[in-house]
C-alpha cells in the first residue's frame, strides 16, 4: 500500500482515485460493511443508544444491516448506571446488549474506569475514604457491571483516556482525574487485575484519543501512550489491547500514514491487539459544498483505515455512531457547525443513505490483509 502524506484541505487533490461506488444510488442493498470486514477477519460496528433502538426503526435496521459489533455510547458509564451509590440502573445497556444478542453481534463495554461521566457522589466519597476504601469504590463498579454481562460483552474499555500531556506531567498522564488523585497511576494496574479476575474471558482494553494525526499534540500523546504501556507491561498488568478512538480532525491537523503505521507497529510489536473504537471525522472547516466535503472526508478515512488494517493486530473498527442523524460532533462546541447543519463524519447520512465514507470503509476492508484476530485474552497475561 502506497504511503502518502495528507495535508488538511489538500486531500481531494492528493491523487486519490475516486471511491468505487459500491452502493446503489437507489439504496438497493449491497454487501454490508460487517460482511466486508469479516472477509479479513475483522468486526465492523458502531456506538448506539437504547433510545435509538426504541424509537428509530430506520436507524435500528441500518445497525442490524451494517454492524456485527456494538458499543454503548453512554449507557454503561457510571454516571448513567449508578446515579446514587450502590443504586444501579442498567436498563439502557440491557436493551443494547439484548439487541446485540438477538442479532448475534459482538459487544463492547464502555467504560469501567474513566475520569469523566461519573456520578456526583463519587469524588466526595473517594476524598472521604482511606486508601483501601478508595480502591473499593473504584472496584465496586467493575463488580457490578462485568458479571452482569459475562458471556455477552466480550471486550471492555477497562480504563479510558488516562493520558493528557497538556496538563504538563513529564509522563503525559492525566493528573486531573479523580482516580489519579485518589490512587495514583496504580489505579490502572488495580482496575485491569480486578477486571481479569472478574471476567477472565473478556478482552481488556486501554483506550485513548489524539494519537492519529501528524501534529505535536498527537506526537506527545503517542509517546506518552508507549511509555505508559511499557510501565504497565513491566508491572505485568493484564492489558490485552489498545483502543485507538480515531476521532479524526483532518481540517485542523495533518495525517501521515508512515507516522501512524509506525505507532501501530510499536504497539503490536509489544504483543497488543488493536481496535479503532470511536471512528468519525470532524468535517467543520472542510469545503462548504457537502458533496466535495464528503469526498475529502472519505479520502482521509481511507488513508487512515488503510494504515490501520495494514496491521494484522487491528481487529475491529467501530464508528462513534453510524448515521449523521445522531453524531455527537453535531452538538459538541469544538466541532459543531455554527449554522446548525449536521456534521457529516459518519458512513450513513441523516437519511440512512450510504455516503462516500461508507465506500471508503468498505474499500479499506476489501484491501486489508487478514487480521490476527484475538477474540479472547492473551494467554501469557492471564
Ligand atoms: O439521555 C439523557 C437525557 O435523558 C437527560 O435528560 C440528559 C440530561 O443531561 O442527559 C442525556 O444523556 C446524555 C447522553 O450523552 C445521551 O445524549 C448525557 O447527559 C451526556 O453527558 C452524554 O454525552 C456523551 C459523552 O461521551 C459523555 O458521556 C456523548 O453522548 C458521547 O458521544 C461521548 O462519547 C465520548 C466517549 O465516551 C469517550 N471518547 C470521546 C467521546 C466523545 O466525547
Amino acid at each position: 500500500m502506497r504511503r502518502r502524506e495528507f495535508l488538511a484541505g489538500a486531500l481531494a487533490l492528493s491523487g486519490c482515485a475516486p471511491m468505487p461506488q459500491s452502493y446503489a444510488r437507489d439504496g438497493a442493498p449491497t454487501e454490508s460493511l460487517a460482511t466486508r470486514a469479516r472477509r479479513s477477519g475483522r468486526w465492523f460496528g458502531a456506538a448506539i443508544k437504547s433510545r435509538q433502538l426504541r424509537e428509530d426503526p430506520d436507524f435500528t435496521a441500518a445497525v442490524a444491516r451494517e454492524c456485527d459489533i456494538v458499543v454503548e455510547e453512554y449507557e454503561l458509564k457510571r454516571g448513567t448506571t449508578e446515579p446514587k451509590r450502590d443504586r444501579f440502573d442498567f436498563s439502557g445497556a440491557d436493551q443494547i446488549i439484548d439487541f446485540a444478542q438477538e442479532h448475534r453481534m459482538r459487544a463492547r463495554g464502555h467504560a469501567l474506569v474513566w475520569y469523566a461521566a461519573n456520578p456526583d457522589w463519587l469524588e466526595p466519597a473517594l476524598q472521604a475514604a482511606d486508601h483501601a476504601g478508595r480502591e473499593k469504590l473504584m472496584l465496586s463498579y467493575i463488580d457490578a457491571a462485568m458479571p452482569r454481562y459475562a458471556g455477552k460483552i466480550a471486550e471492555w474499555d477497562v480504563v479510558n483516556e488516562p493520558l493528557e500531556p497538556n496538563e504538563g506531567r513529564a509522563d503525559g498522564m492525566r493528573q486531573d482525574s479523580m482516580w489519579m488523585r485518589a490512587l495514583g497511576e496504580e489505579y490502572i494496574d488495580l482496575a485491569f487485575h480486578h477486571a481479569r479476575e472478574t471476567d477472565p474471558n473478556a478482552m481488556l482494553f486501554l483506550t485513548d484519543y489524539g494519537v492519529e494525526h501528524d501534529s505535536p499534540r498527537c506526537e506527545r500523546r503517542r509517546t506518552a501512550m508507549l511509555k505508559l504501556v511499557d510501565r504497565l507491561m513491566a508491572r505485568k498488568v493484564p492489558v490485552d489491547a489498545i483502543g485507538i478512538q480515531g476521532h479524526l480532525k483532518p481540517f485542523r491537523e495533518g495525517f501521515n500514514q508512515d507516522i501512524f503505521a509506525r505507532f501501530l507497529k510499536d504497539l503490536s510489536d509489544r504483543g497488543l491487539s488493536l481496535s479503532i473504537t470511536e471512528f468519525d471525522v470532524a468535517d467543520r472547516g472542510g469545503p462548504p459544498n457537502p458533496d466535495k466535503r464528503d469526498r475529502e472526508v472519505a479520502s482521509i478515512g481511507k488513508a487512515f483505515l488503510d494504515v490501520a488494517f495494514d496491521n494484522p493486530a487491528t481487529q475491529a473498527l467501530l464508528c462513534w455512531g453510524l448515521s449523521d442523524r445522531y453524531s455527537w460532533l453535531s452538538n459538541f462546541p469544538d466541532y459543531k457547525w455554527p449554522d446548525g447543519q449536521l456534521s457529516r463524519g459518519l458512513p450513513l447520512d441523516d437519511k440512512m443513505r450510504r455516503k462516500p465514507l461508507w465506500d471508503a470503509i468498505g474499500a479499506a476492508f476489501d484491501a486489508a490483509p487478514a487480521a490476527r484476530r484475538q477474540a479472547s485474552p492473551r494467554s501469557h497475561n492471564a
Side-chain angles (χ1 to χ4, degrees):
M1 180 199 64
R2 235 162 18 99
R3 302 256 192 265
R4 285 172 296 215
E5 176 114 7
F6 286 80
L7 301 174
L11 294 167
L13 311 177
S14 59
C16 280
M19 289 299 146
Q21 287 188 349
S22 59
Y23 60 100
R25 285 282 175 200
D26 63 6
T30 56
E31 276 190 333
S32 73
L33 292 178
T35 301
R36 296 166 79 174
R38 243 190 317 275
R39 279 220 193 86
S40 71
R42 291 178 172 87
W43 292 281
F44 171 78
I48 58 177
K49 300 172 181 171
S50 67
R51 182 174 185 177
Q52 296 160 347
L53 302 179
R54 291 192 302 275
E55 300 179 1
D56 190 337
D58 289 350
F59 176 80
T60 302
V63 174
R65 181 185 72 229
E66 299 287 356
C67 301
D68 62 2
I69 184 170
V70 290
V71 64
E72 316 76 25
E73 184 163 354
Y74 76 102
E75 287 165 288
L76 259 181
K77 292 167 185 171
R78 198 167 182 175
T80 302
T81 56
E82 194 181 0
K84 299 245 184 301
R85 188 170 180 170
D86 297 329
R87 301 270 302 278
F88 297 99
D89 173 8
F90 287 107
S91 57
D94 286 352
Q95 289 173 46
I96 292 170
I97 299 305
D98 288 349
F99 172 84
Q101 291 280 296
E102 180 192 333
H103 292 276
R104 301 170 59 79
M105 292 178 178
R106 187 174 174 89
R108 310 195 76 249
H110 175 80
L112 293 172
V113 178
W114 189 22
Y115 76 93
N118 288 297
D120 293 341
W121 60 265
L122 183 52
E123 180 139 40
L126 283 169
Q127 289 162 346
D130 61 13
H131 191 85
R134 292 174 179 178
E135 291 186 345
K136 193 163 175 295
L137 275 164
M138 182 176 79
L139 302 183
S140 62
Y141 188 54
I142 296 174
D143 293 338
M146 284 191 101
R148 184 183 186 87
Y149 300 108
K152 296 179 180 177
I153 289 184
E155 53 186 76
W156 284 91
D157 290 343
V158 176
V159 171
N160 186 42
E161 301 177 7
L163 307 175
E164 187 39 87
N166 289 346
E167 289 179 5
R169 283 179 59 117
D171 59 10
M173 292 299 287
R174 182 185 297 276
Q175 182 58 40
D176 187 12
S177 152
M178 64 172 73
W179 305 115
M180 278 292 273
R181 285 190 287 269
L183 297 166
E185 182 181 292
E186 282 64 33
Y187 84 89
I188 302 174
D189 307 43
L190 184 63
F192 274 90
H193 281 299
H194 196 70
R196 176 67 94 228
E197 287 160 29
T198 307
D199 186 348
N201 300 314
M203 275 195 74
L204 307 183
F205 278 70
L206 178 73
T207 53
D208 220 317
Y209 62 89
V211 292
E212 302 86 359
H213 283 288
D214 177 12
S215 66
R217 173 185 75 98
C218 288
E219 190 54 33
R220 283 195 299 272
R221 289 183 140 271
R222 286 189 286 268
T223 302
M225 170 70 85
L226 290 169
K227 285 179 177 174
L228 172 60
V229 163
D230 284 344
R231 294 196 301 275
L232 295 175
M233 300 191 115
R235 301 196 299 249
K236 299 275 183 277
V237 178
V239 182
D240 298 313
I242 300 294
I244 291 162
Q245 291 185 8
H247 293 297
L248 302 186
K249 40 190 87 177
F251 304 107
R252 298 186 187 179
E253 296 179 312
F255 177 68
N256 179 295
Q257 291 183 311
D258 289 335
I259 291 174
F260 188 54
R262 194 174 316 121
F263 173 63
L264 298 186
K265 187 173 184 305
D266 286 341
L267 290 170
S268 57
D269 282 354
R270 288 163 166 81
L272 293 164
S273 289
L274 307 172
S275 281
I276 308 297
T277 55
E278 305 185 14
F279 180 67
D280 52 25
V281 184
D283 66 334
R284 194 174 94 185
N289 175 287
D291 290 341
K292 188 170 186 319
R293 194 158 79 237
D294 283 355
R295 286 195 300 277
E296 292 202 11
V297 163
S299 181
I300 183 67
K302 179 77 166 48
F304 173 80
L305 294 174
D306 278 347
V307 171
F309 299 152
D310 212 22
N311 190 315
T314 303
Q315 60 177 30
L317 166 68
L318 291 98
C319 292
W320 206 242
L322 183 63
S323 157
D324 296 335
R325 185 179 292 176
Y326 298 114
S327 174
W328 72 289
L329 296 168
S330 299
N331 304 304
F332 196 75
D334 279 8
Y335 303 121
K336 68 183 182 182
W337 285 87
D339 64 3
Q341 66 175 292
L342 291 178
S343 296
R344 300 181 63 86
L346 291 169
L348 303 184
D349 70 11
D350 62 327
K351 297 182 175 56
M352 302 308 135
R353 292 173 305 201
R354 292 163 168 175
K355 292 158 59 191
L357 182 59
W358 185 94
D359 283 293
I361 295 170
F365 279 129
D366 294 348
R372 190 180 62 234
R373 192 148 104 168
Q374 185 187 340
S376 56
R378 294 183 299 159
S379 53
H380 73 268
N381 239 345

